[in-house]
Amino acid sequence: MKKLINDPNQVVNDMLEGMVAAYQNRLRRLPGTKVIVRNDAPVKGKVGIVSGGGSGHEPAHAGYVGKGMLDAAVCGEVFTSPTPDQVLEAIKAVDSGKGVLLIIKNYTGDVMNFEMAAELAEAEGINVAKVIVNDDVAVEGSTFTTGRRGIAGTVFVHKIAGALSERGASLEEVEAVAKKAVQNVRSMGMALTPCTVPAAGKPGFELGENEIEVGIGIHGEPGIEKTTIKTADEIAETLLDKIFDDMKLEKGDRVAVMINGLGATPLMELYIVNKKVSEILKEKQIHVHETFIGEYMTSLEMAGCSISLFKLDDFLIELFDAPADTIALKK
Amino acid sequence: MAFGVKQAKRWMSIANDHIQQQKQYLTELDQAIGDGDHGLNMARGFQEVAGKIASTNYEDLGSLFKDVSMTLIAKVGGASGPLYGTAFLKMSLALAGKKEADDKELVAALEAALGGIKARGKANAGEKTMVDVWEPVMEFLREKGSVHAKEVELLAKEKMEHTKELEAKKGRAAYLGKRSVGHIDPGSASSYLLFAALAKALEE
């Protein structure tokens, strides 16, 4: 394992120190926690928006803290959900009296820790609502499993909920629009190489020289199948097909597209993937409102990408286009 | 048999010893079907628990288990932090204000803990989770009405080993589907260690 770190047990702390040092005009860290909040939190008259999860997915989630998106991000250990006491501190720090919305990715640990935090906050008299993002179409949701995972499409949910809360909407309204966003976003990913968690010191899974894993989650969890390497066009087609199977899109529909790199994929390759994605959408006469290309939710140094489609209506477009000023996303 | 603050402290201290000794084993079980941090997380959490309760004087069982719960919630993380944290929180509520619990009260408190685990994790027996140890152990205790130390330990062990044959339906292992068969569930293994520690604490 070769990594630019000091101590495997200090990576999250060291990362947060470096982040806050760079952006101290807009972010601060709650003392004694791994919580990053916007400098002006709690913002008067605004519903607080809190998200987070394990670290190692940078710029998610702290990169989306700022005007128009999140009020706080809670950073767990690498690939490990943050604990309820940390989430509770975030909730308390961003509540202006209008309540707080938690945006949670659908992983067992994340859901349980955030739910406990919500219960603790409610016991302290804070109104808390929750939305669970489950955009990954690779794993089927049924009553027998945890359901679909939350991956890169979560960033779209942050954007929409953040935009509406910035306008002074109520907790109920912000929760409703976040749920609507969740219903309209679908993603699917694939990996070319695994990644190495610093404290583990060895790759989380193995892939042969000519193998790829289709349908991985953002921790490299296995997805649909291990297959031999294909062209970018074929991969784009495979991922989109699976998304189309799950999402009803018709001629004339409008979407936002995200081609998300998982940490070790050059932009060149992401553009190549998007060439095919845009061709397929054009063929289907689906209008692309905007395309995000780059690293939005990574998986350490894993190579590969995910594709997300976000179906928009007039109201969602208005919120999508609203201003945002965060480290990783500006509008 | 009487279960007071002394026995409860002994339970947590033995549990910590077991978990420290089995840290690597728990992590290996988790690497096979999960994300490979169960041993590390549990060892960190129970080390803190052992330190905290050894250095504190408790008037009653409720306040002792509340400290256990809060420490696990804050220090373990992942899914097992909230699950074990909730279990001990429910125990602390069931034993609030009690200096000592008789057999019936201890069984009722463990029953409350299982209720908490199931409500938090939304898991039922047969889904390859810690419930596959807790539920049969509680069935046995309900039937007996008291805690038979040695039998509890053997039953918990047998049920932990039985999770090998199950297909995971909950947690990260569920994404592996059939590929999860053949591996012991890490949460059922740490639950076995807890029951084995309880048995030992009651025997002494």
Side-chain angles (χ1 to χ4, degrees):
Chain A
M1 175 182 76
K2 269 202 279 190
K3 282 184 189 285
L4 191 53
I5 60 174
N6 301 308
D7 170 354
N9 297 313
Q10 288 299 319
V11 287
V12 177
N13 182 64
D14 290 358
M15 166 184 82
L16 295 177
E17 297 262 310
M19 188 188 292
V20 171
Y23 303 106
Q24 46 193 312
N25 56 336
R26 54 173 76 198
L27 301 178
R28 64 192 156 89
R29 181 176 177 183
L30 295 183
T33 72
K34 292 187 173 112
V35 177
I36 298 290
V37 298
R38 51 190 271 193
N39 262 340
D40 55 351
V43 181
K44 202 164 173 256
K46 179 186 180 302
V47 165
I49 314 266
V50 173
S51 192
S55 293
H57 305 303
E58 291 66 33
H61 298 85
Y64 303 115
V65 173
K67 198 171 155 47
M69 290 185 81
L70 304 177
D71 292 86
V74 197
C75 310
E77 288 303 315
V78 178
F79 290 2
T80 297
S81 161
T83 54
D85 53 318
Q86 299 266 314
V87 182
L88 176 63
E89 291 305 316
I91 293 171
K92 289 200 287 198
V94 305
D95 180 42
S96 68
K98 279 197 88 166
V100 175
L101 176 74
L102 304 180
I103 300 176
I104 310 162
K105 296 192 303 317
N106 194 27
Y107 280 97
T108 311
D110 284 9
V111 173
M112 281 192 243
N113 283 288
F114 277 80
E115 273 181 357
M116 284 196 92
E119 289 165 21
L120 295 169
E122 274 158 7
E124 296 195 19
I126 301 174
N127 271 337
V128 180
K130 299 167 291 190
V131 287
I132 295 177
V133 187
N134 61 349
D135 54 318
D136 185 1
V137 298
V139 280
E140 297 299 325
S142 83
T143 49
F144 295 110
T145 69
T146 322
R148 298 192 312 212
R149 298 173 288 222
I151 55 172
T154 309
V155 177
F156 287 143
V157 182
H158 293 165
K159 177 71 191 73
I160 296 298
L164 189 63
S165 74
E166 209 70 57
R167 290 184 181 181
S170 70
L171 181 58
E172 290 72 26
E173 290 165 328
V174 176
E175 179 189 5
V177 86
K179 284 192 169 148
K180 185 176 172 187
V182 170
Q183 280 159 10
N184 283 289
V185 64
R186 296 287 185 277
S187 306
M188 171 100 175
M190 57 77 59
L192 298 158
T193 67
C195 61
T196 300
V197 173
K202 59 173 192 185
F205 60 101
E206 278 168 29
L207 278 179
E209 185 55 32
N210 294 313
E211 281 179 332
I212 61 171
E213 179 102 25
V214 179
I216 42 101
I218 48 174
H219 313 91
E221 317 91 294
I224 296 174
E225 55 171 347
K226 218 175 245 190
T227 156
T228 51
I229 180 97
K230 295 182 167 76
T231 65
D233 281 2
E234 285 168 320
I235 288 168
E237 215 161 357
T238 305
L239 299 184
L240 269 187
D241 277 351
K242 191 79 178 137
I243 292 173
F244 289 142
D245 282 349
D246 199 87
M247 187 184 212
K248 222 171 147 293
L249 282 174
E250 283 161 8
K251 233 186 247 184
D253 277 344
R254 295 162 293 176
V255 295
V257 176
M258 178 186 286
I259 314 290
N260 173 53
L262 291 173
T265 296
L267 266 173
M268 174 193 248
E269 295 173 25
L270 299 179
Y271 288 132
I272 291 172
V273 170
N274 190 54
K275 172 176 174 286
K276 186 65 180 177
V277 170
S278 68
E279 281 168 12
I280 294 172
L281 292 172
K282 196 168 176 191
E283 210 172 281
K284 289 186 177 283
Q285 297 182 39
I286 293 163
H287 173 73
V288 177
H289 177 70
E290 188 167 341
T291 304
F292 287 0
I293 296 190
E295 295 188 333
Y296 290 89
M297 190 172 290
T298 59
S299 196
L300 297 172
E301 75 281 28
M302 192 190 287
C305 73
S306 65
I307 299 174
S308 304
L309 296 186
F310 182 27
K311 189 176 161 186
L312 298 163
D313 61 15
D314 289 340
F315 186 46
L316 289 176
I317 285 183
E318 205 181 302
L319 296 171
F320 188 85
D321 291 344
D325 185 13
T326 70
I327 301 171
L329 204 154
K330 286 189 176 55
K331 295 233 23 147
Chain B
M1 63 194 84
F3 183 80
V5 168
K6 201 174 133 200
Q7 285 77 13
K9 280 192 168 187
R10 204 154 63 202
W11 178 18
M12 290 299 108
S13 152
I14 298 169
N16 181 44
D17 292 345
H18 285 186
I19 285 163
Q20 300 305 330
Q21 283 158 18
Q22 302 293 327
K23 179 165 96 172
Q24 196 55 37
Y25 170 67
L26 291 176
T27 288
E28 278 162 18
L29 291 180
D30 196 25
Q31 272 167 346
I33 57 170
D35 53 3
D37 57 4
H38 190 54
L40 295 170
N41 290 345
M42 290 294 282
R44 183 175 59 232
F46 271 85
Q47 188 71 55
E48 294 275 344
V49 165
K52 170 84 190 161
I53 66 167
S55 63
T56 311
N57 286 322
Y58 294 98
E59 288 289 316
D60 71 294
L61 291 165
S63 51
L64 185 154
F65 285 119
K66 180 145 193 270
D67 268 3
V68 173
S69 162
M70 291 304 158
T71 308
L72 292 177
I73 288 170
K75 297 294 172 190
V76 176
S80 42
L83 288 168
Y84 284 120
T86 303
F88 285 103
L89 186 63
K90 296 292 177 189
M91 279 196 80
S92 86
L93 293 172
L95 298 170
K98 286 193 168 52
K99 283 192 188 327
E100 207 164 72
D102 60 23
D103 272 359
K104 220 175 125 194
E105 288 166 332
L106 178 57
V107 171
L110 289 165
E111 190 86 66
L114 169 61
I117 289 171
K118 289 174 77 171
R120 178 69 59 205
K122 299 175 185 78
N124 288 304
E127 296 180 331
K128 200 181 182 96
T129 71
M130 57 174 76
V131 174
D132 289 307
V133 166
W134 278 80
E135 187 125 300
V137 166
M138 289 319 300
E139 263 168 37
F140 173 78
L141 293 179
R142 221 177 288 145
E143 211 174 279
K144 294 279 176 193
S146 63
V147 183
H148 295 252
K150 204 67 215 165
E151 286 160 276
V152 164
E153 182 182 348
L154 289 173
L155 181 64
K157 185 158 195 225
E158 181 196 320
K159 293 301 170 186
M160 165 193 82
E161 273 158 9
H162 176 65
T163 64
K164 213 180 219 186
E165 292 155 37
L166 301 172
E167 184 181 330
K169 302 285 187 195
K170 286 277 164 2
R172 218 169 270 180
Y175 300 127
L176 286 164
K178 289 204 180 346
R179 285 190 269 176
S180 66
V181 176
H183 301 278
I184 289 174
D185 171 62
S188 77
S190 55
S191 292
Y192 156 66
L193 294 178
L194 277 186
F195 281 113
L198 176 61
K200 210 167 166 193
L202 287 171
E203 265 176 355
E204 276 172 15

